């Protein structure tokens, strides 16, 4: 094992071996075909060796090189099987099993951050890493109070390496065209570069993780380990047992796949509502299916801070698309900057482009598969396809970049899982703008017509001006929701859990049922 290569010239030289290696193997393959070996066998050998070199180079460099490899790993589901097959194992391996740093390097980092007597903070410390990733590796230990903990240690020189790699990868990004055809990595690299400072700041990560741990405490579906201790380059959190999603992707049962997929969707869409943050590193190595059925979530080094939750226009546009409201969709896209003022597009053609993407929300339960994602990738990646031409005319506003990447990554994981998920139900519960909250008045209890004046989110239920608002949050469920102060009663249609009526953007945790118990909660408003 060797220490992390820090010098830019050394790292650049290693990165350069990727495109050179591909070219060299292609030349060798041509020679072998001329020599009489079958083209199919030669091609398979080339793909396999390219995958092996990619893992070796990106994994040894860690930093931005490996971060890119992890980001690419979730998109293999969009590739044709003959291309994806040889790379799947190598890409997936990058998700949580990079080549580890030697113990002496780790001990030095602990001494620098925790003091020379760092061992006194632990009852036990395992020198063998439990996981090694892009800018740090994790060791299992026992804290001095007896708690099992995970100790995340940032690689010495990781900051310089990360910046150097991302700069250099911008120049050699074409190698991804040989490794993963159809994937444009330049925008991905630009977005990763914009997050460098946040990724390296363990204080920010500790704050984000603890905020999630507090919000999801005692949650029946999601678990986030609490922060135990934080230093400049060391982060200690509670240890979390469970099966990585990468292993479930490889050999999980269908029940495990569906459970993991459902909870992953729930976390993706409920997180911004409940915490004001979007977990922005959604590759399988950051999630565990726990023995009690909950989804455990790791690594909050990159989050998108969304104080008001996910932008409402996303949900509005999806709802309008499902209703075939082409002009309404176009109006939203123009107002949000997806269609620039100088670009003239046909609204129906735009809707035709979007409809296959919102297919998961058209049915009660949707089966995410590699076949479905490959069809989407082929549709947009083929320059002869009208969808590809449309994609080139649309704009992705900067404030949507990270949301877009996280959503695509999550869908990639769902397709790798082959999970069947009640996607639409989760959108109705958590995505602002997707489902309007409908109320019905219990006529017997409202015999005096007092309900006519009640407003929801500043809009009167009956469309007229009024001065009485429903306070608190409407928790999803089919039960009767009571406004006890005035003895008023509302029947909730079950689509507004933890969203409508909430000023804080957080849901009432007691109102949410687990996946096994269905989506409905207690039906009460606090």
């Amino acid at each position: 094992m060797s220490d992390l290569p820090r010098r830019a010239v050394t790292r650049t030289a290693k990165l350069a071996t990727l495109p050179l290696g591909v070219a060299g193997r292609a030349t060798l393959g041509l020679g072998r075909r001329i020599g009489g070996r079958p083209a199919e066998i030669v091609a398979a050998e080339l793909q396999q060796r390219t995958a092996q070199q990619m893992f070796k180079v990106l994994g040894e460099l860690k930093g931005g090189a490996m971060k890119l490899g992890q980001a690419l790993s979730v998109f293999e589901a969009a590739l044709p099987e003959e291309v994806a097959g040889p790379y799947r194992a190598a890409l997936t391996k990058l998700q949580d099993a990079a080549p580890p740093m030697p113990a002496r390097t780790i001990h030095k980092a602990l001494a620098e951050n925790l003091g020379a007597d760092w061992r006194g903070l632990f009852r036990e410390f395992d020198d063998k890493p439990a996981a090694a990733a892009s800018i740090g590796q994790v060791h299992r230990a026992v804290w001095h109070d007896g708690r099992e903990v995970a100790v995340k240690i940032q690689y010495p020189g990781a900051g310089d390496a990360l910046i150097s790699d991302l700069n250099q990868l911008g120049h050699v990004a074409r190698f991804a065209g040989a490794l993963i055809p159809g994937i444009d990595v330049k925008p991905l690299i630009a977005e990763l570069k914009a997050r460098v400072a946040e990724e390296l700041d363990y204080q920010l990560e500790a704050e984000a993780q603890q905020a999630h741990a507090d919000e999801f405490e005692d949650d029946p579906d999601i678990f986030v380990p609490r922060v135990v201790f934080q230093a400049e380059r060391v982060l200690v959190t509670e240890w979390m047992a469970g099966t990585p999603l990468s292993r479930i992707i490889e050999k999980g049962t269908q029940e495990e796949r569906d459970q993991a997929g459902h909870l992953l969707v729930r976390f993706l869409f409920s997180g911004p509502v409940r915490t004001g943050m979007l977990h922005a590193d959604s590759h399988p190595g950051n999630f565990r299916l726990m023995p009690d059925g909950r989804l455990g979530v790791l690594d909050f080094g990159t989050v998108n801070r969304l104080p008001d939750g996910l932008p409402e226009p996303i949900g509005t546009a999806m709802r309008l698309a499902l209703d075939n409201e082409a002009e309404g969709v176009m109006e939203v896209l123009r107002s949000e900057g997806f269609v620039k003022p100088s670009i003239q597009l046909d609204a129906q053609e735009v809707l035709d482009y979007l409809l296959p993407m919102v297919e998961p929300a058209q049915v009660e339960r949707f089966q995410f598969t590699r076949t479905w994602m490959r069809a989407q990738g082929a549709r947009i990646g083929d320059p002869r396809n009208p969808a590809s031409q449309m994609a080139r005319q649309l704009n992705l506003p900067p404030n949507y970049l990270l949301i877009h990447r996280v959503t695509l990554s999550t869908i990639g994981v769902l397709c790798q899982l082959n999970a069947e998920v009640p996607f639409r139900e989760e959108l109705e519960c958590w995505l602002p703008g997707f489902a309007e909250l409908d109320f019905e008045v219990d006529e017997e209890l409202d015999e005096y017509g007092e309900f006519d004046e009640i407003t929801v989110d500043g809009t009167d239920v009956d469309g007229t001006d009024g001065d009485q608002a429903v306070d608190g949050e409407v928790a999803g469920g089919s039960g009767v929701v009571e406004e006890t102060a005035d003895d008023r009663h509302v029947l909730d249609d079950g689509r507004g859990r933890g969203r409508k009526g909430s000023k804080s953007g957080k849901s009432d945790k007691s109102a949410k049922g687990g996946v096994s118990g269905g989506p409905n909660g207690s039906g009460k408003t606090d």
Side-chain angles (χ1 to χ4, degrees):
M1 291 182 223
S2 60
D3 287 350
L4 180 67
R6 299 192 203 183
R7 296 181 59 191
V9 64
T10 303
R11 301 178 67 80
T12 303
K14 281 182 172 287
L15 287 171
T17 66
L18 287 171
L20 291 175
V22 172
R25 276 186 293 277
T27 302
L28 177 62
L30 176 61
R32 289 180 174 177
R33 288 197 297 274
I34 293 175
R37 297 194 65 189
E40 294 80 5
I41 295 177
V42 173
E45 290 178 353
L46 291 177
Q47 290 172 342
Q48 181 61 40
R49 292 180 183 180
T50 300
Q52 291 171 349
Q53 186 197 18
M54 178 183 66
F55 171 68
K56 182 176 184 294
V57 172
L58 297 184
E60 286 179 352
L61 286 175
K62 300 180 172 67
M66 191 179 149
K67 178 64 67 176
L68 173 64
Q70 289 178 332
L72 290 174
S73 68
V74 300
F75 294 114
E76 60 84 9
L79 305 175
E81 182 60 31
E82 63 270 19
V83 176
Y87 304 127
R88 183 173 300 139
L91 283 168
T92 301
K93 196 174 182 182
L94 279 168
Q95 290 165 352
D96 64 354
M101 297 294 287
R104 58 180 172 79
T105 304
I106 294 303
H107 293 172
K108 182 180 178 182
L110 288 170
E112 290 175 351
N113 285 271
L114 305 182
D117 59 345
W118 62 270
R119 287 193 179 275
L121 295 173
F122 303 96
R123 291 186 183 180
E124 299 175 16
F125 184 89
D126 190 347
D127 283 341
K128 183 180 179 181
S134 56
I135 65 168
Q137 65 188 40
V138 177
H139 291 254
R140 190 168 187 171
V142 178
W143 196 239
H144 57 80
D145 62 5
R147 282 181 288 176
E148 281 195 280
V149 295
V151 185
K152 184 176 180 180
I153 305 162
Q154 193 174 115
Y155 300 127
D160 293 339
L162 187 60
I163 295 170
S164 173
D165 286 352
L166 292 174
N167 286 333
Q168 297 302 325
L169 283 168
H171 299 299
V172 299
R174 284 179 297 176
F175 84 87
L179 298 178
I180 305 185
I183 297 295
D184 184 3
V185 300
K186 286 188 176 180
L188 175 59
I189 291 172
E191 192 271 313
L192 290 174
K193 286 174 67 175
R195 297 279 166 176
V196 166
E198 182 177 349
E199 181 84 4
L200 297 169
D201 192 330
Y202 276 7
Q203 181 176 344
L204 283 177
E205 179 172 351
E207 291 171 355
Q209 180 159 339
Q210 190 57 47
H212 280 81
D214 290 341
E215 175 60 32
F216 286 95
E217 185 177 11
D218 300 325
D219 190 273
D221 300 322
I222 308 297
F223 174 77
V224 178
R226 300 185 68 82
V227 175
V228 176
F229 184 86
Q230 177 261 321
E232 184 178 2
R233 293 185 177 86
V234 175
L235 180 61
V236 183
T237 63
E238 295 174 329
W239 181 263
M240 182 178 69
T243 304
L245 292 202
S246 54
R247 194 174 306 163
I248 292 176
I249 288 171
E250 181 183 0
K251 53 184 178 183
T253 66
Q254 191 59 49
E255 182 180 2
E256 290 172 329
R257 295 170 183 274
D258 294 346
Q259 175 83 348
H262 189 173
L263 295 183
L264 184 61
V265 171
R266 177 163 294 178
F267 178 70
L268 169 67
F269 290 108
S270 69
V273 175
R274 298 178 62 176
T275 68
M277 289 178 276
L278 174 68
H279 183 283
D281 201 359
S282 54
H283 68 76
N286 285 337
F287 300 93
R288 304 281 189 273
L289 191 60
M290 301 175 66
D292 61 8
R294 289 181 295 174
L295 182 73
V297 186
L298 301 169
D299 199 345
F300 291 81
T302 304
V303 297
N304 194 2
R305 286 168 172 78
L306 302 168
D308 298 321
L310 289 168
E312 188 166 339
I314 296 176
T316 302
M318 288 189 68
R319 174 168 50 83
L320 291 171
L322 292 176
D323 291 339
N324 288 305
E325 297 284 349
E327 294 297 335
V329 171
M330 177 64 81
E331 182 179 345
V332 173
L333 295 182
R334 282 199 179 278
S335 66
E336 290 299 298
F338 288 93
V339 180
K340 293 183 176 180
S342 60
I343 301 296
Q344 298 300 316
L345 297 174
D346 181 82
Q348 187 59 49
E349 290 179 358
V350 172
L351 179 61
D352 293 341
Y353 164 77
L354 293 174
L355 278 175
M357 302 180 189
V358 299
E359 186 180 354
Q362 293 176 334
V363 293
E364 289 188 8
R365 297 184 67 87
F366 184 79
Q367 183 86 45
F368 288 89
T369 65
R370 285 187 166 93
T371 300
W372 176 80
M373 193 165 183
R374 284 173 195 144
Q376 302 306 313
R379 188 173 69 96
I380 298 173
D382 184 354
R384 300 166 298 179
N385 194 304
S388 177
Q389 299 167 17
M390 177 65 68
R392 290 196 294 270
Q393 296 181 79
L394 295 176
N395 178 54
L396 185 59
N399 57 314
Y400 281 94
L401 273 172
L402 197 54
I403 296 172
H404 178 71
R405 178 169 73 83
V406 172
T407 303
L408 282 182
S409 298
T410 303
I411 290 175
V413 175
L414 292 172
C415 291
Q416 289 176 320
L417 284 166
N418 195 46
E420 185 180 65
V421 175
F423 195 75
R424 184 175 69 190
E425 181 180 89
E426 295 299 325
L427 295 182
E428 290 174 340
C429 290
W430 300 109
L431 183 60
F434 185 76
E436 296 178 333
L437 186 64
D438 299 327
F439 287 99
E440 299 176 7
V441 178
D442 187 321
E443 299 292 349
E444 293 183 5
L445 297 174
D446 192 44
E447 57 181 316
Y448 298 108
E450 294 177 352
F451 215 95
D452 293 341
E453 295 181 340
I454 290 185
T455 65
V456 177
D457 287 348
T459 302
D460 293 340
V461 172
D462 64 353
T464 62
D465 292 335
D467 57 4
Q468 295 177 331
V470 176
D471 294 325
E473 300 170 354
V474 177
S478 58
V480 174
V481 179
E482 300 185 0
E483 178 80 28
T484 55
D486 297 321
D487 201 28
R488 297 187 176 94
H489 303 256
V490 183
L491 296 179
D492 176 23
D493 69 351
R495 295 189 298 173
R497 178 175 65 226
R499 178 165 56 83
K500 295 292 187 180
S502 171
K503 298 295 184 182
S504 66
K506 293 184 178 181
S507 65
D508 173 11
K509 289 180 286 187
S510 65
K512 298 181 301 302
V515 168
S516 60
N520 293 335
S522 63
K524 294 182 179 180
T525 291
D526 292 334

